Amino acid sequence: MTGLDAQLAYAKESVANTREVPDHFLGFASENLQHTNPVIPIPTLAAGRKLPHRHRRGNKSNSGSFTFPLLPESTGELLELCVGGVVTTGSGPYVHTITPGDLSTATIQAGRPDKSGTVHPFDYVGAMISAWTMTIDASGDGNPVNFTPEWAARQELTDQSLVAAAYPSTQTHWTSVEASMTLAGSAFPIDSLNIAGNNGLEIKHYAGDANPVIRESGWREISATIATDLDGLTAYNRYKDDTSATIVVTIGSSASLDLEITMNGYFVSPSTPNVEGPQVTKQNLPFMCESVTTDAAAFTAVLTNSDANP
């Protein structure tokens, strides 16, 4: 077997750091979830010995990411794990409003095939999202909207059963063609857009427990980087004048299957647009989410789909 037979699933844990059977399956492009358990050399001298001859194992860690083309189905819970809070309303379609809140843990299962035909389950328990990135890129023929969550997990298990893969009956992957953006209420064409979150996690080991404690221990940060043609100085002057702005990103081809992200904040040190040749002058606009009122005012994502639960 090859990577064509791989599978990937996740589930939010009902009890933190306790394995949950993964039930949200995603088609994915790649994954690099890793377990490390370093060697601690024991430097002992012994008559006649020339080589080190004692070691023990130290603190364990589990981290990595996977990348998948973003789609509305089976992703509401993942977005909740990225940001923290969700409220669901409506009924076919369902509307999941995701705002910053307490982060939850999850179990991830990566099914990795060997050459003999066996798919081996690797479960990562007590996993929290340390950072995440959503990428819209309209270059070339256009591209899928890609999403990458980065994880830190308490433990890796290889003795669990492989969960039978069950994908959504409808999978509506989004591309750059279905993505648009407004700035301060006006359409704002973009070449590319990266939205990124950093959850400020701490990964700590205590004596007596080789598995790490993973917890929130710092300010979160949600930012965006916009690349586009230079089309006037309105956006650039917002940076120079330290004027706040509202960015709304909409992805989806129908009202019943879409994702709308609203970000309020300010532009951060954009590069001054320079002429680099006969082509159209470009500009890059880094943006930081911030609100003096509520975290939800700084960042809110609204996912509309057919999933009754996120």
Side-chain angles (χ1 to χ4, degrees), residues 10-16 18-24 77-78 80-81 84-86 102-108 127 151 310:
Y10 74 95
K12 186 172 77 169
E13 292 172 350
S14 301
V15 178
T18 301
R19 182 182 183 270
E20 193 83 19
V21 177
D23 58 358
H24 289 65
E77 193 164 86
L78 183 65
E80 178 191 356
L81 290 164
V86 63
D102 293 338
L103 297 177
S104 299
T105 60
T107 298
I108 310 164
W151 301 84

Side-chain angles (χ1 to χ4, degrees), residues 72-90:
E73 299 87 3
S74 287
T75 55
E77 193 164 86
L78 183 65
L79 295 175
E80 178 191 356
L81 290 164
C82 288
V83 181
V86 63
V87 174
T88 298
T89 58

Side-chain angles (χ1 to χ4, degrees), residues 244-267:
S244 61
T246 299
I247 290 173
V248 178
V249 178
T250 302
I251 309 170
S253 56
S254 72
S256 61
L257 290 173
D258 71 1
L259 175 65
E260 183 175 281
I261 298 172
T262 301
M263 297 177 286
N264 285 294
Y266 58 94
F267 289 106

Side-chain angles (χ1 to χ4, degrees), residues 20-306:
E20 193 83 19
V21 177
D23 58 358
H24 289 65
F25 283 83
L26 296 171
F28 67 104
S30 63
E31 58 91 6
N32 62 4
L33 299 164
Q34 294 283 321
H35 170 77
T36 58
N37 189 193
V39 168
I40 302 176
I42 308 297
T44 56
L45 301 173
R49 298 300 301 268
K50 308 300 183 184
L51 297 175
H53 54 281
R54 293 286 186 273
H55 78 273
R56 297 297 301 275
R57 291 286 175 174
N59 291 330
K60 301 175 183 179
S61 62
N62 308 279
S63 61
S65 65
F66 54 78
T67 297
F68 67 98
L70 189 62
L71 72 170
E73 299 87 3
S74 287
T75 55
E77 193 164 86
L78 183 65
L79 295 175
E80 178 191 356
L81 290 164
C82 288
V83 181
V86 63
V87 174
T88 298
T89 58
S91 177
Y94 298 89
V95 179
H96 312 286
T97 301
I98 299 153
T99 56
D102 293 338
L103 297 177
S104 299
T105 60
T107 298
I108 310 164
Q109 184 177 91
R112 295 165 174 157
D114 67 19
K115 66 178 183 179
S116 71
T118 301
V119 179
H120 299 278
F122 289 73
D123 282 29
Y124 298 90
V125 178
M128 295 181 72
I129 292 179
S130 56
W132 54 271
T133 305
M134 188 184 79
T135 302
I136 299 168
D137 181 4
S139 64
D141 295 329
N143 295 278
V145 176
N146 282 324
F147 200 92
T148 302
E150 298 179 22
W151 301 84
R154 178 162 168 77
Q155 58 180 323
E156 178 192 72
L157 304 177
T158 55
D159 60 352
Q160 300 299 307
S161 298
L162 184 70
V163 179
Y167 298 95
S169 57
T170 301
Q171 298 186 58
T172 316
H173 293 93
W174 289 318
T175 71
S176 61
V177 175
E178 294 151 328
S180 61
M181 180 185 130
T182 64
L183 172 61
S186 298
F188 195 84
I190 55 173
D191 295 336
S192 65
L193 170 68
N194 286 344
I195 302 174
N198 187 320
N199 285 331
L201 298 186
E202 178 187 24
I203 302 171
K204 181 178 177 63
H205 289 87
Y206 288 102
D209 186 358
N211 294 314
V213 172
I214 304 166
R215 60 193 180 191
E216 297 185 66
S217 185
W219 295 109
R220 293 193 206 173
E221 186 177 281
I222 301 178
S223 60
T225 302
I226 305 158
T228 187
D229 297 335
L230 178 61
D231 185 15
L233 296 180
T234 300
Y236 184 73
N237 284 336
R238 286 183 179 276
Y239 154 65
K240 292 190 65 179
D241 299 334
D242 196 23
T243 302
S244 61
T246 299
I247 290 173
V248 178
V249 178
T250 302
I251 309 170
S253 56
S254 72
S256 61
L257 290 173
D258 71 1
L259 175 65
E260 183 175 281
I261 298 172
T262 301
M263 297 177 286
N264 285 294
Y266 58 94
F267 289 106
V268 187
S269 302
S271 56
T272 302
N274 296 118
V275 177
E276 299 179 354
Q279 65 271 24
V280 173
T281 303
K282 298 292 185 180
Q283 62 179 343
N284 289 307
L285 298 166
F287 183 85
M288 183 67 66
C289 294
E290 178 189 77
S291 173
V292 297
T293 55
T294 65
D295 290 340
F299 180 90
T300 292
V302 179
L303 175 66
T304 304
N305 63 17
S306 59

